[in-house]
Amino acid sequence: MLRCFTASLIFFAGGACGALVFARDDSLCRKVTHGLALGGTVLILIVGVAGLQGQPLDLLLPGILPAGGGLALGLDRLSAFFLLIIAVGAIPSTFYAIGYTRHYKGKQSGLGFMLNIFIPAMMLVAMSRNVLTFLVFWEAMSLTSYFLVMTDSDQAETCGAGWLYLVMTHGGLACLVVGFLAMSQAAGSFTMSDWVHAGAGPDARVRNLAFVTMAAGFLSKAGAIPFHIWLPRAHPAAPSHVSAMMSGVMIKLGIYGLIRIGFGWLGQGPGWWGVLILAVGAVSALLGVLYALIDSDLKRLLAYSSVENIGIILLGVGAGLLFRSYGLGALAALALVAALYHCLNHAAFKGLLFLGAGSVLHATGTRNMEAMGGLLRRMPQTGAYFLVGSLAITAMPPFNGFISEWLTFQSLLLSFRVQAQFFNLVFALCIAALALTAGLSAACFVRAFGIAFLALPRGEAVESAHESHWTMLTSMGFLAAACLTLGIAPALVLRPLSSTVNDFIGERPDLAFNWSGIAASNGFAAIDPFWVAMILSLLMLAVWIGLHAMRANFGRRYYETWGCGRAVQTAAFEYTAAAFANPFRRVFAFLYRSVEETEIEAHPESRFFVKTITYRHQSRTIIEDSVYAPIGAVVRRLAAKARTVQSGNVHSYLLYILLALLTLLLFAR
Amino acid sequence: MLRIAVTIVQWLVAVVGAPLLVGVIRKVKARLQGRRGAGVWQPYANLRKLLVKEVVISENTSWVFRLTPYVVIGTMLLAACIVPVLTTAGALQMLDNIILLMYVFLLGTFFLALAGLDAGSSFGGMGSSREMAIAALAEPTIMIAIFAIALRAGSTGLNEMIRRSVTDPLLLLNPGHLLAFFSLFIVAIAETGRLPVDNPATHLELTMIHEAMILEYSGRYLALIEWASAIKLFLFLTLLGNVFFPWGIAVTLQPSAIAIGIVTLPIKMGVLAVSLAVLETGLAKLRLFRVPELLSGSFMLALLAVVSFFFLR
């Protein structure tokens, strides 16, 4: 166990060193760094699986971080489950990168170096046991991911995205530091697990303050609304395998932190903790999918859809918190199982979709869906995998998203056991929000797959698109298989997951399952995903055989699409991504605040003959308009004021230093 | 053995009887409009006709277009396994969950919408976009109505829901029950593409939704999709009839109970079919952008059903 863990760190260290040693040779560097990173992540998987079996790992190295109690690492089942999530996201991503980064000339060294620090940093965040260790690895994870986002730093868009990410992640870090220090001060310990012992601990005010600040910090990493604004910029700018890891794995560590504080480190909280998280979850899920629905940048669409999925996860976490504050431990455990299952599922299908989008980007050179179309014929395998990912993310049976969304629905429906009418209504609204999210996300992915992969190509770059490198296809195939497996054999995950939750909050989830079926809360709900899949495929086969038996006409003739008598069909006749989203834009107009412009240029002879039509629309997001724009304006005004201090004169700077020193000495006597 | 036989029979009733239901609705509508109308068996003749015709496919389509009819009919046949038609004591208890049923319907819609986009015509795209919009906006109503029913039944299993309702003598005096019924009725109209949301008899470019999506289909593919639509209508009406007016459905496997179930099903379906036909004759199609208002109205009904439960318990 310890040996595997050490070996994994050695692999990553080797990868990082390799990146520096082979910096001159792009091809060798690419293979060495990603190969070693792949080895390291496979070892993470082994450590995670062993941890889920219940093998503990405790490591205290006082010498490495001299202050604050040394470097303290540990592995309980919850940490091990997140190591599993990291492995599921990172193994295919690193393997994919071997083929995908072929064209990143001259950037191999930086890319490989940062990747080999980023992945172990994520692992060590999940294993940290005291404040300083946690913050060090948290920051390492944030900084390396920033550098990975900045890979294409020669583009203005990337620089803006990277800067915004840096600001948001450090704002979040500041919140975390405040919370961590407040709790350490009040509890007198830097070890998180010592903070609250059996009801005794810091008084409620400190814990509430710590919960709010730390939740803000973790939610900004998770990308929940209103802290989501970095996601739709940073994910499209990063190389696709990095986007897959950031979106599939890194943002889950925000959820990890939230679960730790909500159920463990800060002890049991009042009901409003849960309501707060439920509200953030419902808003994130709905707004996330609504913005995904109208976006025509394929990767930005996926980024917004991550906001949505984080919202779904938060609904589970929030429900769990609320149930626990009402003493319904078994239901709390059920909600937590749903949330954690969705974390794992999201790592699989969002990873798959980002890798698919990366292949499309690689083959066509564009992320704009309005320029795509017909890719399924040109990239058959990528297209098929993308379809699997779309079905999984929209929670279609028999794929994995269905299981976790079903569990989330069941835990929300079971909320009627809470004896408080206000909270019952909150839950009813959350159910409605989740249902609307599910419907909208189906529309969103019909649009994503239908516009990008079906019908005729809308541009020349797309017409000459080619299928991807075999490493890329293998990685996507692996994730597609994972989506199916996790969907038809949920017991694989539910068994370790229920002991994880049992270890963590001391209650068994209200859930029974066997190799194929799941039953929630003693007959309240039961499904059998394996048989759903089997019966569905058997029925489809039976129909096909039945048609043959009935001597149906199996002749097939290819002809042009029916078009009301027009002479020739071009891609201009197709429905566009913007047109597909139009009904939604009209129904939810108050959220999008879109600005539309239509210019019609008529023929000089008659205004009934149109020469060109230009249509532009721009949607603004309500959060950015109403929250970030005022903050930005204030910051800018203050910065303008502060500029008067910045004279550029060395003497005045020396004076400032002197004054600062004197003040410090005065106060710190 | 009896259990399996009854399960197969009730599946066959739904699957084979569905086109008859469509025929009856068309016949009643025709009579109400002063026409003689085709016979009630006409949908079967249409299906047979389509099966002997060859398929004409657009050159632009991919395998998704050819797979879709099988997925759509597969999901509807699966849904027919889930819905209790004659008895709540069927053999397939492992599929018995109403949320699963809703997602199975959504899976069919998902593929139909993809197929609508695949041929590259504006009609198909328009149909897909509108169908997905209506499906998405109907989803919250469905879930809240399910919540309202599950609250009373203490289960999201369809069989258990019906078993609880059968034993409740004051069923129709329960405001939550009636509110949930009306909200699900509106949703059923929207989901099955009936008036006033969509007109199943139209092929006018600007008004069709479902028909626009499947415009490129012909031959056996069209037969499968029409059959699937008929099954969907049948299942939604069965669901409304059996969950909200559960009288007569066989709770046990006794032959007498099943016989009563077989007799009452046509009566309930007949009443619902006639009321649907009357409604379709009396109402004009709504403008597309008025449909969300209808659906949000039905959502409020469902929410009131839930609220009434919590405040009356």
Side-chain angles (χ1 to χ4, degrees):
Chain A
M1 179 76 168
L2 183 61
R3 213 174 290 156
C4 269
F5 172 70
T6 330
S8 140
L9 288 183
I10 291 173
F11 265 95
F12 288 116
C17 295
L20 300 178
V21 173
F22 302 113
R24 292 280 173 85
D25 185 344
D26 268 2
S27 164
L28 193 61
C29 182
R30 171 166 59 89
K31 284 170 189 154
V32 167
T33 52
H34 291 121
L36 286 172
L38 180 64
T41 43
V42 170
L43 286 165
I44 293 183
L45 179 68
I46 296 171
V47 173
V49 169
L52 279 176
Q53 313 265 315
Q55 291 184 35
L57 176 75
D58 276 303
L59 209 59
L60 183 65
L61 303 167
I64 294 188
L65 284 173
L71 185 84
L73 297 173
L75 188 74
D76 58 3
R77 281 206 167 106
L78 187 67
S79 303
F81 188 73
F82 276 86
L83 292 198
L84 185 70
I85 293 177
I86 294 171
V88 166
I91 288 175
S93 302
T94 41
F95 192 60
Y96 179 92
I98 297 176
Y100 181 73
T101 55
R102 274 173 302 162
H103 301 294
Y104 282 89
K105 296 231 163 33
K107 292 172 181 165
Q108 292 299 340
S109 172
L111 202 55
F113 181 75
M114 288 302 164
L115 192 74
N116 274 292
I117 302 178
F118 176 56
I119 300 173
M122 291 196 290
M123 166 174 75
L124 292 168
V125 163
M127 294 173 67
S128 299
R129 287 296 172 263
N130 69 19
V131 172
L132 197 60
T133 316
F134 190 92
L135 289 177
V136 165
F137 290 123
W138 185 264
E139 183 62 7
M141 173 179 90
S142 302
L143 281 182
T144 44
S145 55
Y146 162 73
F147 286 117
L148 287 169
V149 169
M150 292 292 284
T151 303
D152 288 316
S153 56
D154 41 0
Q155 285 167 17
E157 190 198 354
T158 308
C159 292
W163 185 79
L164 186 67
Y165 174 47
L166 205 61
V167 170
M168 289 305 292
T169 192
H170 282 98
L173 181 74
C175 290
L176 283 185
V177 169
V178 170
F180 271 119
L181 290 184
M183 279 306 283
S184 309
Q185 171 75 19
S189 167
F190 280 110
T191 306
M192 277 90 84
S193 53
D194 294 346
W195 283 352
V196 178
H197 266 306
D203 70 78
R205 265 189 319 186
V206 178
R207 290 198 292 133
N208 286 343
L209 171 83
F211 181 78
V212 172
T213 50
M214 290 169 85
F218 286 128
L219 289 177
S220 76
K221 179 57 80 184
I225 287 174
F227 310 108
H228 67 291
I229 55 163
W230 62 271
L231 257 100
R233 290 183 176 79
H235 285 345
S240 296
H241 65 287
V242 175
S243 319
M245 263 187 280
M246 284 176 74
S247 186
V249 181
M250 187 187 74
I251 61 173
K252 300 301 152 33
L253 289 167
I255 299 293
Y256 167 79
L258 189 69
I259 291 175
R260 281 277 184 208
I261 57 169
F263 292 91
W265 296 340
L266 299 185
Q268 185 157 348
W272 64 261
W273 288 10
V275 176
L276 183 73
I277 300 299
L278 275 176
V280 172
V283 171
S284 301
L286 261 183
L287 287 186
V289 72
L290 280 171
Y291 289 128
L293 193 49
I294 57 162
D295 217 301
S296 55
D297 179 322
L298 192 55
K299 283 180 78 178
R300 198 157 59 215
L301 180 151
L302 294 177
Y304 273 125
S305 141
S306 292
V307 176
E308 171 219 330
N309 280 283
I310 285 293
I312 295 175
I313 295 168
L314 288 178
L315 283 175
V317 175
L321 283 171
L322 195 53
F323 289 147
R324 201 156 86 117
S325 67
Y326 271 83
L328 300 164
L331 280 190
L334 174 66
L336 204 53
V337 164
L340 288 171
Y341 203 144
H342 202 73
C343 283
L344 179 65
N345 287 343
H346 186 245
F349 52 63
K350 190 47 70 63
L352 172 58
L353 289 169
F354 262 118
L355 297 186
S359 296
V360 169
L361 174 62
H362 199 272
T364 65
T366 177
R367 300 195 308 254
N368 183 6
M369 279 161 52
E370 305 283 18
M372 294 175 191
L375 283 171
L376 189 59
R377 284 182 159 198
R378 287 155 186 85
M379 308 172 74
Q381 288 195 51
T382 307
Y385 295 142
F386 200 91
L387 180 60
V388 169
S390 305
L391 288 168
I393 200 168
T394 46
M396 293 300 165
F399 293 99
N400 59 354
F402 173 69
I403 307 290
S404 47
E405 209 156 302
W406 185 85
L407 284 170
T408 312
F409 265 124
Q410 297 303 345
S411 39
L412 293 176
L413 289 170
L414 282 163
S415 66
F416 69 85
R417 302 209 179 136
V418 174
Q419 296 287 340
Q421 282 162 357
F422 171 70
F423 290 142
N424 291 141
L425 283 185
V426 169
F427 274 112
L429 291 177
C430 286
I431 292 168
L434 182 57
L436 185 55
T437 306
L440 290 173
S441 100
C444 173
F445 281 91
V446 164
R447 174 174 173 268
F449 183 79
I451 300 292
F453 285 91
L454 299 180
L456 291 171
R458 295 180 176 82
E460 279 171 20
V462 179
E463 247 167 275
S464 56
H466 53 88
E467 191 53 282
S468 319
H469 193 254
W470 67 271
T471 57
M472 295 155 78
L473 292 175
T474 314
S475 319
M476 288 188 276
F478 170 81
L479 284 171
C483 286
L484 188 61
T485 316
L486 293 176
I488 59 178
L492 279 181
V493 182
L494 287 175
R495 187 159 296 128
L497 203 49
S498 51
S499 30
T500 303
V501 171
N502 188 27
D503 274 12
F504 183 52
I505 64 171
E507 292 267 6
R508 284 210 81 78
D510 200 355
L511 190 70
F513 51 85
N514 56 23
W515 61 276
S516 66
I518 318 173
S521 189
N522 190 24
F524 181 76
I527 43 164
D528 209 321
F530 175 77
W531 283 108
V532 170
M534 284 301 287
I535 295 178
L536 181 60
S537 35
L538 284 177
L539 285 172
M540 283 166 63
L541 191 66
V543 167
W544 187 77
I545 294 171
L547 284 182
H548 275 284
M550 285 165 72
R551 304 270 177 90
N553 187 341
F554 267 75
R556 187 192 290 165
R557 187 152 53 90
Y558 283 93
Y559 199 68
E560 63 185 36
T561 305
W562 185 75
C564 285
R566 49 107 184 85
V568 62
Q569 190 191 17
T570 66
F573 287 93
E574 287 169 22
Y575 232 48
T576 59
F580 192 94
N582 199 44
F584 301 96
R585 201 177 289 118
R586 286 186 68 159
V587 173
F588 298 99
F590 61 102
L591 281 174
Y592 293 134
R593 305 163 163 222
S594 14
V595 187
E596 295 189 16
E597 289 169 43
T598 317
E599 286 168 22
I600 300 176
E601 193 189 336
H603 201 271
E605 298 288 317
S606 158
R607 65 192 174 90
F608 296 110
F609 287 92
V610 175
K611 269 168 87 180
T612 57
I613 298 182
T614 325
Y615 172 78
R616 261 190 305 274
H617 70 92
Q618 198 181 7
S619 299
R620 295 173 299 155
T621 71
I622 196 165
I623 305 280
E624 284 178 37
D625 276 9
S626 54
V627 179
Y628 286 93
I631 294 179
V634 169
V635 169
R636 224 166 278 138
R637 216 163 33 232
L638 288 180
K641 291 243 171 69
R643 194 187 279 165
T644 50
V645 188
Q646 298 268 12
S647 60
N649 184 342
V650 180
H651 298 292
S652 56
Y653 288 140
L654 285 175
L655 180 67
Y656 297 154
I657 293 173
L658 182 69
L659 285 178
L661 200 63
L662 282 179
T663 342
L664 276 179
L665 285 175
L666 216 62
F667 278 105
R669 248 174 321 153
Chain B
M1 203 54 219
L2 179 66
R3 186 183 295 273
I4 294 173
V6 171
T7 311
I8 293 176
V9 168
Q10 75 167 357
W11 184 77
L12 282 176
V13 166
V15 166
V16 179
L20 177 63
L21 176 71
V22 174
V24 170
I25 292 178
R26 283 189 192 153
K27 182 78 180 174
V28 176
K29 256 174 92 172
R31 299 302 303 175
L32 286 172
Q33 293 163 354
R35 294 183 285 121
R36 189 188 281 166
V40 291
W41 303 103
Q42 185 61 37
Y44 295 97
N46 286 351
L47 291 181
R48 213 183 118 239
K49 176 191 74 187
L50 287 171
L51 283 182
V52 296
K53 295 212 169 220
E54 74 172 348
V55 162
V56 182
I57 303 183
S58 159
E59 292 149 348
N60 308 330
T61 54
S62 62
W63 55 263
V64 171
F65 187 82
R66 300 194 296 276
L67 178 69
T68 296
Y70 293 100
V71 175
V72 172
I73 191 66
T75 53
M76 291 310 145
L77 294 179
L78 175 64
C81 301
I82 302 175
V83 177
V85 179
L86 296 173
T87 175
T88 58
L92 293 166
Q93 297 289 338
M94 71 249 192
L95 298 179
D96 177 32
N97 189 268
I98 191 165
I99 297 180
L100 173 68
L101 179 68
M102 292 306 150
Y103 273 94
V104 168
F105 282 139
L106 196 58
L107 177 63
T109 311
F110 189 95
F111 269 91
L112 266 184
L114 284 184
L117 286 166
D118 205 7
S121 89
S122 331
F123 296 125
M126 188 177 69
S128 302
S129 159
R130 293 176 174 181
E131 177 92 355
M132 288 317 290
I134 289 171
L137 296 176
E139 210 64 19
T141 313
I142 297 179
M143 278 301 161
I144 293 294
I146 289 176
F147 188 36
I149 310 164
L151 282 175
R152 267 186 309 104
S155 171
T156 54
L158 276 161
N159 293 333
E160 184 61 25
M161 284 177 176
I162 295 173
R163 276 198 289 269
R164 289 285 170 90
S165 306
V166 171
T167 53
D168 186 355
L170 296 175
L171 192 65
L172 288 185
L173 292 178
N174 189 328
H177 189 75
L178 292 176
L179 288 167
F181 169 72
F182 285 117
S183 68
L184 259 192
F185 187 73
I186 295 175
V187 164
I189 287 175
E191 282 274 320
T192 52
R194 313 294 303 190
L195 279 170
V197 175
D198 186 8
N199 187 353
T202 186
H203 273 97
L204 188 68
E205 290 92 333
L206 298 176
T207 56
M208 56 184 174
I209 300 176
H210 182 80
E211 294 298 321
M213 259 196 316
I214 61 171
L215 201 58
E216 287 297 320
Y217 277 113
S218 53
R220 62 180 189 281
Y221 291 155
L222 186 59
L224 291 181
I225 287 175
E226 301 242 298
W227 185 28
S229 311
I231 299 176
K232 189 173 185 181
L233 180 66
F234 186 96
L235 291 179
F236 260 103
L237 291 192
T238 318
L239 208 58
L240 287 171
N242 282 347
V243 171
F244 292 98
F245 311 103
W247 313 299
I249 190 167
V251 184
T252 56
L253 283 175
Q254 274 155 0
S256 58
I258 292 170
I260 295 176
I262 293 177
V263 175
T264 46
L265 181 76
I267 301 175
K268 281 194 274 191
M269 296 301 277
V271 171
L272 282 167
V274 170
S275 49
L276 201 61
V278 171
L279 209 64
E280 293 207 326
T281 312
L283 284 176
K285 188 178 170 301
L286 276 179
R287 278 185 64 214
L288 181 69
F289 292 106
R290 299 288 299 278
V291 172
E293 293 167 23
L294 179 73
L295 290 174
S296 52
S298 77
F299 173 72
M300 288 320 290
L301 289 179
L303 199 61
L304 279 176
V306 170
V307 170
S308 79
F309 175 85
F310 283 123
F311 284 87
L312 295 178
R313 78 173 170 187

